[in-house]
Structure formats: C-alpha cells, structure tokens
Amino acid sequence: MSSFKQEAEVGRTRGPEAMGSMKNDNLPAASDFLHTPLVRAALPFINGGLSGMVATTVIQPVDMIKVRIQLAGEGVAGGPKPTPISVTRDILASGKALDLYTGLSAGLLRQAVYTTARIGFFDTFMGSLSARAKANGKQVGFSERATAGLSAGGLAAMLGNPADLALIRMQSDGLKPVAERKNYKSVIDALTSIAKSEGVGALWAGAAPTVVRAMALNFGQLAFFSEAKAQLKQRTQWSANAQTLTASAVAGFFASFFSLPFDFVKTRLQKQSRGPDGKLPYKSMVDCFAKVAKQEGVMRFYRGFGTYYVRIAPHAMVTLIVADYLGWLTK
C-alpha cells in the first residue's frame, strides 16, 4: 500500500505545482461545511480511504494473479511454475474477464479500514511528535517519521486483517474442487461464513505476518522514497511530479523486496483450512516459514516478485494522484 510519507510529500510538492494554475479561476467554492473543525479533522481519513479504494479497483486483477501464483505448487519442491500470463489465461478460460475482480468487495473494505486507519493513526502520531519537537525547539527527524509510519501501519493492519483474510479466501476459492468451494457472494457473506464455521478468532488468522508485512512495506517505502526523492532533487532537473512518481517506483521495488516473504506467508496462513484429521497445515508464521523453506525451497518466498511489484508501485502512484486531487477539491 502507499506510504504516509508519499501522501504527505504529495501535499507539499505536487499540490502547488499541479493545481497552481487553477487557483484563480477553477478553485471550488469554499464551503462552510468543509471548513468546520470536525470535517477538517475527518478529511484526511476520508480522502485517504477513497484514494486507496480507487487504487485497489484499478490494481485488483494484478492482486488476484499474485495470490494464485503464491498458492500454486503448495507443499511441493518443484511444482508448477506459473507465470502471470498463464494464470490470467487459466482464469479467463474457466470463467470470464470479471473473474479477475473476484474479491473486489473485500479489497475495498480492507482499504476503507486499513488505509483510513493508517493515515489517521499516522497523522495523530505526527501531530504529537511535531508538538513535542516544536516545544523543544527541534524538527521531526526521519527516524521519528519512520517510527510513526511503522506503528500506524502495524495497528491498521491488525484492524484490517478480517477483510484481508476474506479477500484471500475469495480469491483462492476457485482453486478448490467444485464440491468444496464456498462460492462466497460478497465480503459480508465470506466474513459471516468464516465466523460461523471457524469462530470469530479465525478472522485474525495470519495476523502476525500481516502486521509484519505492513511494517516491512512501510519501512521500504518510507526509507527509500525519502532517499530517492533527495537524490533526484539533487542530481536532476526533473519536475516535482516526475521526481515523486519516480521515487514512488524506486520505493515500490524495495518495499516489495522487504515485504514479499511476509505477504507470501500471510497468503498461505489465511488460505489454509483444516484437513480430514482436523489439523491445519501450518501452526504459526514461523512454522510456515520453516515448512515452505524445507519443502519448496527458500526462493519460493520470492515467487511472483514481478507481479507483486507491478501491484505495489502502481497502487502507490494511483493513491498519490487521487489523494492529491481529493485534497485540492476539499481545500
């Protein structure tokens, strides 16, 4: 998901440049309602959630393909070696183009919870850090920003885990034999069915790798977006827009590198179901790491890296653009 640093950077760099020429003639009329304290406090949450939902709608087919690649050949050292093209072909051959959007309702719910909470927590943490730094005559440093981002990402991931689990279950349902499929109608149907058959606690299956994944993802984006932006600003004459989008692509690569193994384990844990003996294939995040490494090889954790990156980087860019536009509309 896109980082808080990116969203904040956009407000400082892209907004004035991209919208400056519109300020005099096309700026939306100021609304008393939009400028009430309560609405001003809520707008970062609302804009963040909406931007994440738009990005998810655009990227959902790539996420569907990524999940199918991660689940292929489970428990086998060799196993099939699917490619994005072969997975797409299989999905289209078994149904229709809209099957690529399986689980979209769960993806949107996750963004509504995760992105909204992430931005909200981050703004709250940064507000406290800024006030403390100002009182001491200092400025908030990168380490404080990184800590705020990591903490907010982890807390938001915990809140969003049920929707994330429902998304994985809906996307993997088509891999099961026809007689064993749940055929979830929507994210609500999936959440209700899982809670009834497995217990409410099952909605937080895979929460540990989900939280670690979110923290690793945010670390990669925060650290490398900041560094790439500084280097581009120093070494190029590119526009602020070009620098922001290029830095987002660089940050997306490192965020993918750090977080993919945890995303892989999260997918396996959230997809698993009890066998005839009543036992789950994996007992915990550590057990999943150990079994996959032993049975399938260490490199299996990075299977589908290209697809994962193609999901992460564009999602960040779309979120940036939409968040920036919504911020301008609601000034």
Side-chain angles (χ1 to χ4, degrees):
M1 300 304 140
S2 66
S3 73
F4 310 104
K5 176 69 176 177
Q6 293 170 348
E7 289 155 357
E9 192 75 32
V10 156
R12 294 193 296 271
T13 59
R14 292 195 71 247
E17 180 177 318
M19 301 303 173
S21 62
M22 302 181 188
K23 286 183 178 178
N24 294 331
D25 300 322
N26 299 324
L27 191 65
S31 166
D32 290 338
F33 175 73
L34 284 178
H35 289 85
T36 58
L38 180 61
V39 173
R40 298 314 298 176
L43 279 175
F45 291 79
I46 297 171
N47 291 346
L50 288 175
S51 62
M53 292 170 76
V54 171
T56 290
T57 302
V58 175
I59 303 301
Q60 182 67 16
V62 180
D63 189 63
M64 173 70 166
I65 294 167
K66 182 267 296 183
V67 169
R68 290 293 180 89
I69 288 176
Q70 289 179 331
L71 294 176
E74 185 172 2
V76 181
K81 295 183 178 179
T83 65
I85 294 177
S86 67
V87 171
T88 303
R89 188 188 304 119
D90 289 344
I91 292 174
L92 295 177
S94 62
K96 50 188 177 181
L98 288 179
D99 285 352
L100 289 169
Y101 276 91
T102 298
L104 178 61
S105 60
L108 293 176
L109 177 61
R110 180 181 182 278
Q111 288 300 314
V113 176
Y114 173 70
T115 304
T116 300
R118 186 172 64 136
I119 293 175
F121 283 134
F122 181 74
D123 284 347
T124 300
F125 295 157
M126 284 302 297
S128 299
L129 289 170
S130 296
R132 186 174 66 181
K134 186 177 181 180
N136 294 329
K138 300 179 180 180
Q139 292 184 337
V140 177
F142 176 74
S143 61
E144 286 88 352
R145 291 191 182 92
T147 301
L150 292 170
S151 301
L155 289 171
M158 181 64 75
L159 291 175
N161 198 79
D164 200 27
L165 179 133
L167 174 62
I168 297 299
R169 292 291 182 91
M170 293 174 77
Q171 290 178 327
S172 64
D173 197 47
L175 294 174
K176 297 179 180 179
V178 176
E180 297 178 14
R181 294 179 186 175
K182 302 294 185 180
N183 296 316
Y184 302 114
K185 299 180 179 65
S186 66
V187 62
I188 301 301
D189 181 39
L191 291 171
T192 303
S193 175
I194 294 169
K196 285 183 178 179
S197 61
E198 303 174 41
V200 176
L203 295 175
W204 273 270
T210 298
V211 170
V212 177
R213 171 193 176 274
M215 296 177 73
L217 190 69
N218 281 309
F219 169 75
Q221 288 180 337
L222 282 165
F224 290 96
F225 177 82
S226 177
E227 180 63 23
K229 190 72 187 277
Q231 292 294 332
L232 288 169
K233 188 174 183 179
Q234 180 181 351
R235 300 172 184 273
T236 72
Q237 300 298 319
W238 296 355
S239 67
N241 291 345
Q243 290 177 6
T244 297
L245 292 179
T246 302
S248 296
V250 173
F253 174 85
F254 287 101
S256 300
F257 177 80
F258 287 121
S259 66
L260 182 54
F262 299 104
D263 185 80
F264 181 97
V265 171
K266 173 187 75 70
T267 298
R268 288 287 179 92
L269 289 175
Q270 292 180 333
K271 174 260 181 185
Q272 70 176 343
S273 56
R274 296 185 184 278
D277 58 357
K279 296 182 179 180
L280 293 170
Y282 310 111
K283 299 176 182 178
S284 64
M285 177 175 69
V286 174
D287 184 53
C288 184
F289 266 114
K291 286 183 177 177
V292 172
K294 181 179 180 180
Q295 298 172 0
E296 306 173 42
V298 176
M299 292 308 296
R300 183 60 63 90
F301 293 115
Y302 281 96
R303 170 179 279 183
F305 179 83
T307 305
Y308 187 62
Y309 173 74
V310 169
R311 179 200 179 281
I312 293 294
H315 194 287
M317 293 177 184
V318 172
T319 302
L320 284 172
I321 294 169
V322 175
D324 183 38
Y325 183 64
L326 289 174
W328 171 70
L329 286 179
T330 55
K331 278 185 178 178

